[in-house]
Amino acid sequence: MRRRGSDLRRREGRRLSSVFWIILCCLIIFVCIVLLSRESGDSISRSPYIKMSYRYDGIPEGFNVTEEMLKPKSVARQIIDQISLAKAFVVIAKESNNLQFAWELSAQIRNSQVLLSDAASRRTPLTIRESEIAIRDLALLLYQAQQLHYDSSTMIMTLKAKIQGLEEQMNSISEKSSKYGQIAAEEVPKGLYCLGVRLTTEWFKNLDSHRKAKERKQMGVKLEDNNLYHFCIFSDNVLATSVVVNSTACNSENPEKVVFHLVTDDVNYSAMKEWFSMNSFLGVTVDVQKFEDFGWLDPSYVPVLKQLQDSNTQNYYFSGKSDDGRTPIKFRNPKYLSMLNHLRFYIPEVFPMLNKVVFLDDDVIVQKDLSALFSIDLNGKVNGAVETCMETFHRFHKYLNYSHPLIRSHFDPDACGWAFGMNVFDLVEWRKKNVTGIYHYWQEKNVDKTLWKLGTLPPGLLSFYGLTAPLDPSWHVLGLGYTNVDSQLIENGAVLHFNGNSKPWLKIGIEKYKPLWDKYVDYGHPLLQQCNVH
């Protein structure tokens, strides 16, 4: 019976252990089922996206065309590269007059562009299958272009030749433009020529004019009175000189104290005398002289006069052949051969009794009272002028040859340039410092034109170096004959200078500035109407 009990206990233990293992196995199976169900759930949650991608022909949302083109095997990028190269070959083919090949390239470019356009419209990346034919056809044409030597080196050489040709064409047009502009600037308009002829005729047939001239000579005391305001102009242009005198008179607070000293040549002397005899300018005193009457003006004293009479100098001015045409056309101007252009360096000799004078060019107008110029203290300097060195090209190195040791050792290349056209000259200091002698020295050193080329400003810069006092810029506003000038500067300017080729009395004058000059011309004058001056 005891044995039987122990057997029963053993059997019950075995049953319990079997149940334990069965339960454990069930738990393991249950855990596995749970894990598998989660994975299947994840796969099920992802499946709609995959099925949608499979179900529709469109691309998934968030597709980036740029990223697609950056892929190593992007078909779109390959086509775009082919199109860019083909376009370059089209240009070269046309340059080579191979129009048939250029047409074929253009046609295939359009086909490839249509493919890209369609792909962009449907928002689907291009596949190799649909673009294979277009890529192959364009590749064949590109290969053919290379066989025709339409390669990059040929393209570069062609473009260089094209650029060089355009530059030569541009230089030629620019040179012609400058030449024609210079010719237009040098021509005397028919109206002004007519005016000069009529005035000369009137002078010789009108005895009353001679009587008036004698009356003016009786005012010699006034012409030498240093308490008055003395202005000088050297010109052969009657109308331009008249505008300077008239504009000064109209804007002067005391025109009866203004004295104008006009110097012209023998050809225009009679016309000048007649014009200023028959017209009054609000009481302004006007005296006219001709430089041929100056006894001191001869080649033995004036080096430039000897140079101007030299045949080589005249050929240099007019043709420029001696330097293979390198001289700018603006310097080959007959005005540089006129002694009137060089008389500015002999003002103390022209007006020996004067102490101070304001020099004016004939292409200026005066729009403010200038009497204050005569009370400006030049601090021992000779020349009062407005500086023009706001830009680098108006400094000394622009006008002078600094490769010459004489220039390099005496003058600062960055020294400020200044302008002729409105200058206050202290003639007392001029005579003390012998500025005319300095001018003679540099003219003799420049016989071979190695110090400067042409013109009067370079020798002026040398002669008045260290002797020039800067004036307020509002006294002299430049540029109305060649460029745009700030309207505020024009409004505030005392003297407006039409320097440049576009003079206001010429057809090539700048239209918006002409009214400033026309304001002081009496177009109703009988002689101006007879000569059709307008």
Side-chain angles (χ1 to χ4, degrees), residues 191-210:
L192 295 187
Y193 179 78
C194 168
L195 179 63
V197 172
R198 286 184 177 272
L199 286 171
T200 302
T201 304
E202 289 294 321
W203 168 258
F204 282 107
K205 75 177 184 181
N206 193 347
L207 296 178
D208 188 53
S209 296
H210 294 275

Side-chain angles (χ1 to χ4, degrees), residues 42 139 141 185 237 437 468-469 472 498 530 532:
D42 290 341
L141 288 175
N237 189 322
T468 299
D472 188 282
F498 291 83
Q530 290 172 22
N532 196 27

Side-chain angles (χ1 to χ4, degrees), residues 34 63 151-152 157 177 190 199-201 319 441-442 459 481 501:
V34 170
F63 177 77
D151 52 10
S152 58
M157 294 300 295
S177 176
K190 290 182 179 180
L199 286 171
T200 302
T201 304
S319 67
Y441 171 81
W442 289 111
N501 284 337

Side-chain angles (χ1 to χ4, degrees), residues 225-232 248 257-259 354-360 369-378 422-426 475:
D225 186 353
N226 283 294
N227 294 315
L228 302 180
Y229 308 130
H230 294 271
F231 298 86
C232 67
T248 305
K257 290 186 176 182
V258 174
V259 181
L354 297 182
N355 295 334
K356 183 174 280 190
V357 67
V358 171
F359 167 79
L360 296 174
D369 180 63
L370 300 183
S371 59
L373 287 172
F374 293 86
S375 59
I376 291 178
D377 185 5
L378 298 181
M422 198 294 294
N423 304 81
V424 183
F425 289 122
D426 185 335
W475 282 114

Side-chain angles (χ1 to χ4, degrees), residues 200-429:
T200 302
T201 304
E202 289 294 321
W203 168 258
F204 282 107
K205 75 177 184 181
N206 193 347
L207 296 178
D208 188 53
S209 296
H210 294 275
R211 183 180 59 79
K212 289 182 179 179
K214 290 180 180 179
E215 290 176 357
R216 289 182 181 273
K217 285 186 178 180
Q218 293 174 0
M219 295 187 298
V221 175
K222 197 172 184 180
L223 298 178
E224 297 176 357
D225 186 353
N226 283 294
N227 294 315
L228 302 180
Y229 308 130
H230 294 271
F231 298 86
C232 67
I233 305 175
F234 306 135
S235 173
D236 57 3
N237 189 322
V238 177
L239 189 59
T241 304
S242 176
V243 168
V244 179
V245 174
N246 191 31
S247 62
T248 305
C250 290
N251 294 286
S252 176
E253 295 179 0
N254 298 291
E256 68 280 357
K257 290 186 176 182
V258 174
V259 181
F260 265 95
H261 303 264
L262 311 182
V263 181
T264 186
D265 55 19
D266 191 46
V267 175
N268 296 279
Y269 176 74
S270 300
M272 284 273 194
K273 292 286 286 186
E274 179 65 22
W275 179 261
F276 288 100
S277 296
M278 69 167 56
N279 295 288
S280 63
F281 297 90
L282 302 178
V284 169
T285 301
V286 180
D287 180 56
V288 181
Q289 302 180 73
K290 54 182 176 180
F291 72 82
E292 287 86 352
D293 290 340
F294 299 151
W296 50 267
L297 195 61
D298 61 75
S300 62
Y301 175 65
V302 181
V304 72
L305 188 59
K306 181 169 61 178
Q307 295 174 19
L308 294 178
Q309 294 173 350
D310 182 64
S311 59
N312 292 331
T313 300
Q314 294 186 8
N315 182 63
Y316 184 86
Y317 274 83
F318 282 107
S319 67
K321 291 180 179 178
S322 59
D323 65 347
D324 299 324
R326 291 191 300 272
T327 302
I329 186 69
K330 68 177 182 178
F331 290 122
R332 300 203 295 272
N333 190 325
K335 75 175 184 178
Y336 293 118
L337 287 174
S338 171
M339 193 61 210
L340 289 173
N341 198 49
H342 298 271
L343 274 180
R344 64 193 68 191
F345 295 103
Y346 299 93
I347 292 178
E349 284 86 346
V350 178
F351 312 112
M353 303 305 294
L354 297 182
N355 295 334
K356 183 174 280 190
V357 67
V358 171
F359 167 79
L360 296 174
D361 269 338
D362 63 2
D363 55 352
V364 306
I365 62 166
V366 177
Q367 59 178 15
K368 294 187 185 298
D369 180 63
L370 300 183
S371 59
L373 287 172
F374 293 86
S375 59
I376 291 178
D377 185 5
L378 298 181
N379 297 313
K381 306 293 185 181
V382 177
N383 173 29
V386 170
E387 294 182 333
T388 57
C389 58
M390 279 69 77
E391 295 92 4
T392 181
F393 54 84
H394 284 145
R395 296 185 184 271
F396 270 44
H397 63 78
K398 179 64 179 178
Y399 304 101
L400 305 173
N401 177 22
Y402 273 86
S403 63
H404 197 290
L406 198 57
I407 295 293
R408 193 168 57 248
S409 61
H410 283 80
F411 305 99
D412 178 8
D414 290 322
C416 263
W418 44 267
F420 271 129
M422 198 294 294
N423 304 81
V424 183
F425 289 122
D426 185 335
L427 302 186
V428 176
E429 290 296 326

